[in-house]
Amino acid sequence: RKEVEQDPGPFNVPEGATVAFNCTYSNSASQSFFWYRQDCRKEPKLLMSVYSSGNEDGRFTAQLNRASQYISLLIRDSKLSDSATYLCVVNSDSSGTYKYIFGTGTRLKVLA
Amino acid sequence: DAGVIQSPRHEVTEMGQEVTLRCKPISGHDYLFWYRQTMMRGLELLIYFNNNVPIDDSGMPEDRFSAKMPNASFSTLKIQPSEPRDSAVYFCASSRGLAGYEQYFGPGTRLTVT
């Protein structure tokens, strides 16, 4: 089983739709969580950190479910510019050293 | 403030040649990471440094790969000899810390080995 798993998609949604992605992780001792966005042929960029209590940034909401070991990203009122690959990142302590484990990403296409 | 700087942006080389990728992290960041990204395997951590010291190189695929960080503002990733399967985008990233700290990525080096 992969340490971090995401549905690769693509998710094709119309403008204005609400879309949600999940990401599961295997290490129950994982400590911090992030969502990154990667545009085609560009570097990953931080979208938002994921806090235990859940957090919101404009149209984006991130949540953490430690019991079920997954994090989620909700995008409301999708824009064409939201089309990208969304990477889930988990920061885990593995044998005394911290590692950032990236999921393989979920592709989102917002259609006009 | 300048972000992470990588060079070259593109590299095309023949199998067997030596390739050197360069990275300048964000000033004040104590951690530097080298990643490789392919369609098949996604983003893989190769090695990371803390205060110029390699901490975890378990992701380095084999002895053909080596990385150095001679000072806080410069790191290299070297492949010698290069093989076609090394073709990928190589990203450098830096951060202030580990747990809870975000990473900032450079624009990447797109390597093609023919």
Side-chain angles (χ1 to χ4, degrees), chain B residues 40-109:
Chain B
M40 292 297 295
R41 300 172 68 91
L43 201 61
E44 302 174 280
L45 177 65
L46 300 177
I47 184 171
Y48 78 90
F49 296 82
N50 175 212
N51 291 324
N52 315 336
V53 176
I55 302 300
D56 184 356
D57 65 354
S58 59
M60 295 286 262
E62 49 197 273
D63 292 346
R64 297 185 298 106
F65 286 69
S66 62
K68 293 182 180 179
M69 192 165 185
N71 57 62
S73 59
F74 184 65
S75 177
T76 60
L77 178 68
K78 185 175 293 187
I79 308 172
Q80 165 64 16
S82 57
E83 296 182 3
R85 61 192 167 123
D86 302 330
S87 297
V89 180
Y90 290 81
F91 288 106
C92 175
S94 70
S95 70
R96 290 189 183 280
L98 278 179
Y101 288 87
E102 65 179 279
Q103 295 186 350
Y104 294 83
F105 283 76
T109 296

Side-chain angles (χ1 to χ4, degrees), chain B residues 1-2 4 9-10 13 15-16 24 47-48 66 75 88 93 110-111:
Chain B
D1 189 19
V4 176
R9 295 292 303 276
H10 302 273
T13 190
M15 183 173 64
K24 177 179 169 55
I47 184 171
Y48 78 90
S66 62
S75 177
R110 186 170 296 274
L111 173 65

